[in-house]
């Protein structure tokens, strides 16, 4: 039996429901598709834009012991990187501790299917971070507004490539 959006909502903390519903509407209103899969600690919910029959992931929700997290695939971060200067310190710390991109730093090769991470500035410092961990944040009252701003920017730029 297919997992539904309502099934997903049942595991979302009550205080996060308005944000989750707002983001869901934002993606659907911009022509994105949603996919839900079962995972070890809940669900993985992915929102993707379809371009030339190719699915381009923009964001996913994942569940950990610490709560629900969002992973933003910010392919266009270089076009709005100043937004990162305004995010809360806790979110910045998560960006800084994220793994460096092996391809961008030239340390070693990543998976042959890896499309490389992100090269961006935050608070005047250049970072080259892995796309899977760079923008991976807990969803809470402090992060919601900033997550939404990033998602809106990505949706505005999704057809730039």
């Amino acid at each position: 039996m297919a997992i539904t959006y309502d099934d997903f909502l049942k595991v979302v903390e009550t205080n996060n429901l308005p944000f989750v519903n707002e983001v869901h509407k934002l993606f659907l209103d911009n022509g994105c598709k949603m996919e839900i899969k079962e995972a070890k600690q809940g669900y993985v919910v992915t929102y993707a834009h379809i371009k030339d029959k190719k699915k381009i992931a923009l964001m996913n929700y994942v569940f950990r012991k610490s709560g629900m997290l969002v992973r933003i695939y910010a392919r266009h971060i270089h076009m709005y990187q100043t937004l990162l200067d305004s995010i809360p310190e806790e979110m910045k710390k998560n960006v800084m501790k994220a793994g460096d991109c092996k391809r961008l730093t030239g340390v070693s090769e990543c998976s042959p299917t890896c499309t490389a991470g992100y090269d961006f500035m935050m608070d005047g410092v250049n970072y080259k971070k892995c796309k899977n961990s760079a923008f991976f944040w807990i969803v809470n009252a402090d992060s919601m507004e900033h997550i939404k701003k990033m998602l809106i920017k990505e949706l505005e730029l999704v057809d730039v490539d």
Side-chain angles (χ1 to χ4, degrees):
M1 188 164 117
I3 305 162
T4 66
Y5 182 68
D6 288 333
D7 293 330
F8 161 60
L9 290 179
K10 289 175 187 171
V11 300
V12 173
E13 292 178 5
T14 307
N15 56 326
N16 290 337
L17 284 171
F19 171 78
V20 168
N21 282 317
E22 186 177 355
V23 168
H24 179 71
K25 183 177 177 353
L26 178 69
F27 278 119
L28 295 185
D29 287 350
N30 282 277
C32 295
K33 304 292 181 201
M34 178 191 66
E35 181 179 284
I36 304 173
K37 294 181 181 176
E38 285 191 75
K40 188 175 172 182
Q41 294 183 2
Y43 298 114
V44 174
V45 180
T46 303
Y47 289 92
H49 177 70
I50 310 299
K51 184 176 180 179
D52 301 325
K53 297 184 182 181
K54 184 179 176 189
K55 184 168 69 171
I56 301 166
L58 298 172
M59 185 206 86
N60 34 50
Y61 290 114
V62 297
F63 290 86
R64 299 288 190 266
K65 290 178 184 173
S66 58
M68 184 174 73
L69 291 100
V70 64
R71 176 181 291 119
I72 300 175
Y73 297 103
R75 295 177 33 226
H76 303 95
I77 191 64
H78 62 284
M79 298 174 82
Y80 61 91
Q81 62 192 344
T82 56
L83 185 137
L84 294 174
D85 294 342
S86 68
I87 65 175
E89 287 303 314
E90 194 61 33
M91 291 175 75
K92 287 180 183 181
K93 286 179 189 173
N94 286 340
V95 172
M96 289 184 269
K97 75 177 183 183
D100 290 333
C101 174
K102 294 175 183 176
R103 283 184 185 238
L104 293 176
T105 58
V107 173
S108 66
E109 277 297 312
C110 197
S111 162
T113 60
C114 180
T115 56
Y118 310 119
D119 187 345
F120 59 93
M121 300 289 289
M122 183 174 69
D123 292 335
V125 178
N126 182 238
Y127 294 95
K128 297 172 190 263
K129 296 293 182 177
C130 173
K131 69 179 182 176
N132 291 315
S133 60
F135 308 116
F136 191 48
W137 296 305
I138 189 92
V139 176
N140 61 31
D142 294 332
S143 66
M144 290 176 190
E145 172 191 342
H146 304 284
I147 291 167
K148 194 167 70 172
K149 284 180 184 177
M150 263 183 100
L151 295 175
I152 289 168
K153 287 293 186 188
E154 279 301 314
L155 286 166
E156 289 172 355
L157 297 165
V158 76
D159 285 321
V160 168
D161 300 327

